[in-house]
Amino acid sequence: MLFAVPLLLAVGCAAPAATHTATNSQGAPAKAIAARAVHSTGNAASTTGSASDDAPAPTGTIVMVKLYVGTLDAAEQFYGNVFGARFAVAQGDNVHIVVFPSGGPGLVLIKKGPHDKKKHGAFIIQVPDKDVAEARAVANGARIQAEFEAPDGSRSVDVLDPWGNQVEILQRG
């Protein structure tokens, strides 16, 4: 279900290709992840229903990210304490939307129901200081999964929030 909420979006997601060297929470090598840009070559099948090579590519904008949480108050507190998110609007008793001070997609916090036990979300958030955000996340109940470093000096850590949603905390190099 989509929720129509006017949000001011300020997202900058373009980044050069990078290879990450990962370590787990004990500092041992984990896995290497190669990030690469995806460019349209005109050879891929069109998702617009047109077979024409000159048809415009479909476009889209991420407006919000859905996360399934235990309690809405606890989730608002976690994302507020760690990243400065603040309450924007309630969509009934089981859905709250929070936004970030620097803009970007809002988070739709959905209280898990009996049929939502296995539902989780994931997103990447850029911060000015990875170490500070990581410490705040852990102090507020997050668990570290793995840490990554890229040749350009970017550093990130994957954490699980208290409800099992994966959050990659990224500091650009």
Side-chain angles (χ1 to χ4, degrees):
M1 174 181 267
L2 293 177
F3 300 98
V5 176
L7 294 174
L8 176 61
L9 301 176
V11 180
C13 296
T19 302
H20 298 287
T21 303
T23 57
N24 64 18
S25 59
Q26 290 78 33
K31 59 183 177 180
I33 298 176
R36 60 187 168 100
V38 178
H39 300 283
S40 174
T41 61
N43 296 332
S46 170
T47 58
T48 62
S50 169
S52 172
D53 284 340
D54 60 352
T59 61
T61 300
I62 296 175
V63 178
M64 294 186 213
V65 175
K66 293 189 328 186
L67 300 179
Y68 290 85
V69 299
T71 65
L72 297 175
D73 289 340
E76 286 174 29
Q77 184 176 7
F78 177 84
Y79 285 102
N81 289 344
V82 178
F83 303 114
R86 64 190 188 297
F87 174 81
V89 66
Q91 296 288 322
D93 294 336
N94 296 319
V95 178
H96 285 185
I97 298 173
V98 298
V99 295
F100 295 98
S102 297
L107 293 182
V108 179
L109 304 174
I110 303 169
K111 183 179 178 188
K112 282 188 179 183
H115 302 291
D116 297 328
K117 297 293 183 202
K118 294 184 179 182
K119 291 184 179 179
H120 296 94
F123 67 95
I124 300 170
I125 186 164
Q126 184 176 334
V127 297
D129 188 325
K130 177 199 88 68
D131 297 330
V132 169
E134 178 181 348
R136 285 184 180 178
V138 170
N140 281 277
R143 293 174 295 149
I144 296 173
Q145 287 190 302
E147 297 199 30
F148 308 93
E149 289 189 23
D152 70 355
S154 295
R155 301 179 312 127
S156 67
V157 60
D158 280 348
V159 300
L160 293 179
D161 75 8
W163 307 277
N165 297 295
Q166 186 182 57
V167 180
E168 181 177 343
I169 301 170
L170 169 68
Q171 177 182 335
R172 296 240 188 232

